[in-house]
Amino acid sequence: MEISLLEELKKQNKLSDFFSYWKKKAPVYYPEERDILEDLRRFSQNLALKEGIVMGCFDYRDLSLAFFTENIEQISGYSVEFLKKNGIAGVISALHPDDAKEHVAFNNKVLETFNKASLSEKKTFELSYTVRWLHKDDGHEIWFFTKAKPYLVDQYGNFVYDLHIAFQINNHEHLTGYDWSFSYTKDSGEKLVFKKNDVRQDIPLTKKEIEIAGLMVKGLDSKEIAEKLFISRNTVFTHRKSIMKKLNAKNVAEVVKLLISLGIN
C-alpha cells in the first residue's frame, strides 16, 4: 500500500471520528502499564511460536501500537519500524481498501456502544472480525480471523488499550470480504450480540432509502441515482430529504459520514 494512503488516513475528515477518541480527553499515565505490556510479551512468546498467530495492542491515547508480535513483518512485509512509527494509521493503510473502510466503521460502531455502557459492562466487551491485509511487496491478500477485547479501561471508563489476537486463514476461498460481530454483558446479566448482517435493523430508513443512501455514499448525485434506479429526480430528492431528516443531518457530507458509521456503503 502506498504511503500516500497513510497520509490520507491521517488527514482526511472521513476518518476523523476514529482518530480522535482521546481528542477531548487528558492522557493518563498508569504506573502498571509497563507490567501489563511485559505480561503480554511473555504471553506472546509461546503463541508466536505457532505459525500465523499475531498479537497486537493499540494505545488509543496516541493511536500507537503499544505492543505487537514482530512476526507480522514476516507475514505482511510491513516492517517493525513502519508499524511502530505509524501505529493505527499504519495498520489500516496495510488493509485491503474495502476492508479498511469497513474496519473504521466497525470500530466507530463499537466505540459508540462502548461509550454508553457502564464501567462493569465495558469490561465484558468481546469483538471478532475477519479482515484482509495486502502484502506490501506483491499485494496478495492475507486473511485473518481476529478476536479482540478492551485490555485496559481506566477508572472513568475510557478505552486505553485493546488486545487483538489474529489467526491467519489459509483456506479462504469461501470468504468474500470483511465481517464482524461484537457482544457485551449488561449489568442485568443479559448478553447483547451485534452482527454485521443485523446492523441495518437499527437504521431508521426504509428499504428504498437504504438503497439510495448506499448510492449517496458512493458519491452519486441525484441525477445519477435517478438514472440508475429508473426513478425521477423529484423522487430521489424526496427520499434524500427524508434520509436527512431521519438521521438528523444538516448537510449531505454529514449524511454520508453517518451512513458509513452505520455500515451503509
Side-chain angles (χ1 to χ4, degrees):
M1 190 66 63
E2 296 181 0
I3 299 300
S4 59
L5 175 58
L6 179 62
E7 296 305 316
E8 178 183 341
L9 290 172
K10 289 180 176 179
K11 294 177 181 179
Q12 285 197 4
N13 186 57
K14 64 181 180 180
L15 298 183
S16 61
D17 283 351
F18 182 76
F19 289 111
S20 61
Y21 180 74
W22 273 86
K23 188 174 182 180
K24 297 181 180 179
K25 308 177 192 296
V28 177
Y29 173 73
Y30 293 87
E32 68 272 20
E33 283 185 49
R34 184 172 298 180
D35 293 336
I36 290 173
L37 296 179
E38 185 57 36
D39 286 343
L40 281 177
R41 291 187 184 94
R42 285 196 294 266
F43 176 61
S44 69
Q45 286 177 352
N46 292 328
L47 286 179
L49 295 175
K50 299 181 180 180
E51 184 177 357
I53 298 180
V54 177
M55 290 178 60
C57 181
F58 292 115
D59 186 334
Y60 279 76
R61 294 166 299 180
D62 59 7
L63 305 172
S64 65
L65 270 167
F67 161 79
F68 62 98
T69 51
E70 296 184 358
N71 59 338
I72 190 64
E73 180 173 356
Q74 179 184 355
I75 294 173
S76 71
Y78 284 88
S79 70
V80 170
E81 292 74 18
F82 173 83
L83 295 172
K84 285 182 177 179
K85 177 181 177 182
N86 296 292
I88 292 180
V91 171
I92 293 178
S93 75
L95 302 182
H96 187 290
D98 293 341
D99 290 6
K101 181 179 178 182
E102 290 206 53
H103 189 60
V104 171
F106 172 49
N107 275 273
N108 284 335
K109 178 74 173 178
V110 172
L111 288 174
E112 178 185 0
T113 306
F114 181 86
N115 286 334
K116 296 176 183 177
S118 70
L119 179 58
S120 57
E121 290 171 343
K122 288 176 177 179
K123 295 180 179 180
T124 67
F125 271 63
E126 296 181 350
L127 293 66
S128 300
Y129 59 91
T130 303
V131 66
R132 292 169 288 180
W133 283 56
L134 294 182
H135 195 279
K136 179 179 179 296
D137 298 325
D138 60 19
H140 76 266
E141 295 181 353
I142 309 160
W143 288 81
F144 285 105
F145 172 71
T146 304
K147 298 288 289 185
K149 62 180 295 183
Y151 199 68
L152 176 59
V153 178
D154 72 13
Q155 65 268 36
Y156 304 108
N158 292 314
F159 207 146
V160 182
Y161 289 164
D162 59 11
L163 175 63
H164 301 250
I165 302 179
F167 305 84
Q168 188 176 357
I169 305 171
N170 294 319
N171 299 319
H172 48 73
E173 291 78 11
H174 63 292
L175 301 175
T176 58
Y178 190 88
D179 196 12
W180 60 261
S181 66
F182 72 96
S183 66
Y184 75 97
T185 302
K186 298 184 68 174
D187 290 332
S188 64
E190 178 187 6
K191 185 172 184 177
L192 299 182
V193 180
F194 303 81
K195 297 181 179 180
K196 178 180 178 180
N197 292 335
D198 298 332
V199 70
R200 298 184 191 276
Q201 296 178 2
D202 300 328
I203 302 174
L205 304 179
T206 66
K207 184 176 180 180
K208 178 59 70 174
E209 287 170 347
I210 289 176
E211 184 177 18
I212 290 174
L215 297 175
M216 290 173 65
V217 170
K218 293 178 180 178
L220 276 66
D221 59 27
S222 294
K223 180 181 178 181
E224 292 169 325
I225 293 174
E227 291 175 349
K228 188 174 184 65
L229 299 182
F230 302 102
I231 57 179
S232 71
R233 290 181 64 180
N234 285 338
T235 300
V236 174
F237 177 78
T238 299
H239 283 304
R240 287 173 65 121
K241 186 176 179 180
S242 175
I243 291 169
M244 291 182 68
K245 183 177 180 180
K246 289 181 177 180
L247 296 180
N248 194 28
K250 298 177 181 178
N251 51 52
V252 174
E254 191 171 331
V255 168
V256 171
K257 181 178 176 181
L258 288 168
L259 292 173
I260 291 174
S261 71
L262 290 170
I264 296 180
N265 49 60

